[in-house]
Amino acid sequence: MGNKPGRPKNQTARREALVDAAGRAIAERGLEGLRIKDIAAEAGMSAGSVLYYYPEMGELVLEVHRGAVERYLAARQKAADGVDGATGATGAAGAAARLRALVGSGLPGGSGDAVHGLLFELHRRADRSSGHATLMASLFAREVALYATVLEVGAAVGEFTLTEPVTDLARNLVALEDGYGLHIVSRNAELTPDVARRLLLGYARTVTGCPEL
């Protein structure tokens, strides 16, 4: 009797490779025109292999969304943590430096920004899928938490004098980022990344009373 081919030893790695490939395919082609064969070509696999690991396209797209959210949040956290050694007006917390870093990490680098383009494309599924809606809401809540932490620390050490409740200010900062980001990836020539950053920092200065921003 002939030996039957066994399953790949590292199925987790194969699944991760497929998720990465699907993310690239979505970024290049969009969700509407996405086909199994596009993902297979991107991953260097057969269409049958894609279907073996992800029989439902919707499950694979949801995994792409989940991974994109986690990578984006990790990058934002890293940006804020990267200025831990900076000091603010009090010589203690460096909240202004952390807030500037957060603002910089939340905007697309340009109309071709792959990370933001992918997230915006995936967020379009939220009105038709509870799974995608949950991921989008979770991303917003966790970004708000990042801002809220910096704002609270800044207020506690005397760097910031907040004009509104912390959560309201954090939500506004995230919403402004999202709005500006959408215009940037949509090729609005009047709203460049530099302009958007300047406007966000201007809002942050107003609501924190911190001239260092």
Side-chain angles (χ1 to χ4, degrees), residues 69-94:
V69 164
E70 293 302 325
R71 289 192 300 273
Y72 176 67
L73 286 168
R76 299 207 69 180
Q77 184 70 66
K78 183 178 180 180
D81 291 345
V83 295
D84 275 345
T87 58
T90 63

Side-chain angles (χ1 to χ4, degrees), residues 109-203:
S111 60
D113 188 292
V115 174
H116 286 83
L118 179 60
L119 283 170
F120 281 127
E121 184 72 17
L122 292 166
H123 287 347
R124 292 172 54 198
R125 286 287 177 97
D127 64 339
R128 291 172 282 173
S129 163
S130 60
H132 288 282
T134 296
L135 284 171
M136 185 176 177
S138 173
L139 174 58
F140 182 79
R142 292 164 71 184
E143 287 182 284
V144 168
L146 283 175
Y147 271 116
T149 297
V150 176
L151 292 169
E152 286 172 346
V153 170
V157 300
E159 283 193 58
F160 300 159
T161 301
L162 305 181
T163 60
E164 301 289 342
V166 166
T167 300
D168 289 352
L169 296 180
R171 286 173 175 167
N172 281 338
L173 283 163
V174 176
L176 284 169
E177 280 180 345
D178 288 347
Y180 291 148
L182 182 58
H183 279 277
I184 291 169
V185 299
S186 299
R187 306 180 188 279
N188 183 341
E190 295 186 7
L191 196 62
T192 65
D194 286 341
V195 170
R197 178 177 168 80
R198 176 177 60 78
L199 292 171
L200 274 166
L201 288 174
Y203 172 76

Side-chain angles (χ1 to χ4, degrees), residues 22 25-26 29-42 47 50 57 60:
I26 292 170
R29 300 169 176 81
L31 281 169
E32 301 306 322
L34 186 66
R35 297 169 299 179
I36 291 292
K37 70 176 186 178
D38 296 326
I39 298 170
E42 196 71 45
V50 176
M57 174 79 83
L60 177 54

